[in-house]
């Protein structure tokens, strides 16, 4: 193997100082445009790539953030990852990707996170157990996660205003004239789903004159198939809800397809429906699903701000929470009844 | 900041040698189970994390692979990323994520790849230009990409057998009794789409007795919306194809929804349809779309094997191609006609 090209080689070729080469490759460093041009030309000719590792060893900072992903078959998580990647890159951070099979919690990423030298962890997944929260706190690096009920020292969270959205869903159903409201929950350990359900059920109970029988409750596992199966079972039991709030859009799409197949019921003529996440499929013509948009841009902005603060001089073992309101996107699925 | 815990501290606490600590944290290293247990307990008590950076400096190898992603709103790319992450992790490699806004080529990732010290690059995106291929070759590290027509020294590619699948689509349409076949292409610069179209058109031309008018050709941009719009325009012109092969599933879903809205045509009674990628939505009840499965597992296995070979002693500026056959998944959308 030949000797790697060093910044000294580039400096010599460009006829500039070695510090000028270093500045040319440092984000935000002061350097005359002409000097920078000379350095980049020489670097291209010599096929030079700056080596960040000595800088990492000196600073103790890798500028590398562990991003834990899972459940990417849910388009919500896929778009969150894209948004997060763009935002972290703009902040001059690199992303070490840690993938977990779980679509809800980052707990199984702990082994990997323990062995990597990252400056921080950012994830759209929640923390699943007190033990995981404790181990993450022990890393003594900032951890930012979405929709996590569990936090701890060093761990901050950005949450969608799930409870408020649940209340809003009940109001929308009231204005549609729904007489038999139903709730399709996600898995028990999905804290965001629980908060959505609590809000919705509270909204229905607050209107007990209209809805004396309360809420018809079902449960899925956040997948399309589980929404489809839940409605099939419900209809087979002879239940006939006329307003369905689903904890996420994937299950709502499955539920709508089950109604369609059943034949006698139709959304929105006999059943109005609402979902959560505003995934692209909610806008597809086969669905036209009214949904709560988590505003991924705002969630990611809030996460990046928390990260900036945590990596700054006032960082440390603090724990902050940022709440982002969901935005109601109204489509055909709530356009009828009454 | 307090002094970081070192492997010497762990060795002292565990009552073992420093080399035992190092072996306990090295994948595949030989160590007695009891010794390993002692080390891991001491490490947990001291909150020790192994520092990989000195090892990187000594070996010149970061064990880090740059993974370039884009277009994650297409479920095919999202599932490929999940599969790739699992496979690279099993190979003991870490993933540095590089995100590009482009859903087709990795060209805009070049700046980032040039400044990172990665051992290799793996991506489901293709190379878009000769210039990008040259710059990637100049990195002198293995680059493995999917469905790329352009390659070069150090660059290998894993391709779906797109042309063969196009021929198969024509055969399926023949067996369905299609009289007016149509092809919905992706963007011009999508080489995989071009190969699918060439195969399909060749299959139709080979059967000119049955199909004297050849193929009705349309173009979209690989998105759901573009498939929807293409069919709306086609129907508005008074064209009535009875067999549609779409370059990907997202466009096929859009095309099917446009047919549904039009009212007078219905899949599969009057129009049979086929897509490519076998994304989860192809299996949703609203679509039931026959599709070619690229067999992401096989593509990723092939990519990981190419990577292993390229990082091994026989690596170097070679260029290899692996072809993976697509698997036809038959659903309702090709269940009628004749």
């Amino acid at each position: 193997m030949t000797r790697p090209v060093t910044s000294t080689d580039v400096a010599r070729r460009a006829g500039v100082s070695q510090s000028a080469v270093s500045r040319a490759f440092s984000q935000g460093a002061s350097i005359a445009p002409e000097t920078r041009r000379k350095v980049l030309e020489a670097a291209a000719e010599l096929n030079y790539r700056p080596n960040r590792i000595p800088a990492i060893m000196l600073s103790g900072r890798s500028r590398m953030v562990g991003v834990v992903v899972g459940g990417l078959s849910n388009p919500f998580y896929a778009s969150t990852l894209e948004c997060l990647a763009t935002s972290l890159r703009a902040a001059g951070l690199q992303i070490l990707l840690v993938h977990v099979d779980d679509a809800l919690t980052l707990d199984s990423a702990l082994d990997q996170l323990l062995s990597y030298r990252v400056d921080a962890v950012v994830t759209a997944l929640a923390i699943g157990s007190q033990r995981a929260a404790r181990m993450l706190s022990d890393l003594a690096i900032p951890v930012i996660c979405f929709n996590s009920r569990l936090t701890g020292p060093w761990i901050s969270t950005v949450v969608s205003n799930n409870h408020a959205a649940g209340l809003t869903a009940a109001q929308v159903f009231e204005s549609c004239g729904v007489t038999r409201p139903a709730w399709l929950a996600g898995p028990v350990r999905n804290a965001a789903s629980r908060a959505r359900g609590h809000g919705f059920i509270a909204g229905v109970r607050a209107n007990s004159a209209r809805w004396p029988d309360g809420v018809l409750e079902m449960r899925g596992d956040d997948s399309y198939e589980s929404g489809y199966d839940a409605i099939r079972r419900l209809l087979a039991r002879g239940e006939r809800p006329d307003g369905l709030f689903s904890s996420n859009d994937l299950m709502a799409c499955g539920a709508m397809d089950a109604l369609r197949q059943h034949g006698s019921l139709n959304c929105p003529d006999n059943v109005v429906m609402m979902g959560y996440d505003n995934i692209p499929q909610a806008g597809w013509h086969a669905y036209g699903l009214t949904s709560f948009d988590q505003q991924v841009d705002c969630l990611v902005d809030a996460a990046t701000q928390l990260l900036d603060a945590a990596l700054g001089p006032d960082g440390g073992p603090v724990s902050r929470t940022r709440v982002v309101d969901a935005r109601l996107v109204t489509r055909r699925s709530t356009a009828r009844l009454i």
Side-chain angles (χ1 to χ4, degrees), chain A residues 293-312:
Chain A
D293 191 316
Q294 298 209 38
Q295 309 211 74
V296 170
D297 288 9
C298 301
L299 291 172
V300 166
D301 275 355
T304 310
Q305 282 166 21
L306 286 171
L307 187 64
D308 267 351
L311 289 175

Side-chain angles (χ1 to χ4, degrees), chain A residues 104-135:
Chain A
L104 274 181
T105 78
L106 54 80
D107 298 22
S108 60
L110 282 166
D111 276 353
Q112 287 181 77
L113 292 173
L114 287 168
S115 75
Y116 294 165
R117 195 52 65 125
V118 290
D119 287 351
V121 174
V122 182
T123 177
L125 304 176
I127 298 171
S129 66
Q130 280 293 359
R131 184 175 159 275
R134 231 173 7 247
M135 288 180 74

Side-chain angles (χ1 to χ4, degrees), chain A residues 12 27 68 76 86 105 107-108 120 126 140 142 160 165 181 184 198 220 278 296 327:
Chain A
R12 194 174 303 129
Q27 219 164 12
V68 187
F76 170 71
T86 305
T105 78
D107 298 22
S108 60
S160 179
L184 178 50
H198 289 160
N278 196 30
V296 170
R327 186 172 56 90

Side-chain angles (χ1 to χ4, degrees), chain A residues 249 275-280 282-283 289 291-294 327 329 331:
Chain A
D249 287 348
Y276 212 104
D277 292 344
N278 196 30
I279 61 175
L289 177 67
S291 183
F292 289 97
D293 191 316
Q294 298 209 38
R327 186 172 56 90
V329 178
R331 297 197 181 88

Side-chain angles (χ1 to χ4, degrees), chain A residues 121-123 125 127 137 141-148 150-159 302-303 305-307 309-310 316-322:
Chain A
V121 174
V122 182
T123 177
L125 304 176
I127 298 171
S137 284
I141 55 171
V143 176
I144 321 284
C145 46
F146 288 7
N147 283 320
S148 192
L150 296 170
T151 64
W154 293 97
I155 306 174
S156 293
T157 186
V158 181
V159 295
Q305 282 166 21
L306 286 171
L307 187 64
V318 293
S319 176
R320 295 185 176 89
T321 297
R322 291 277 177 284

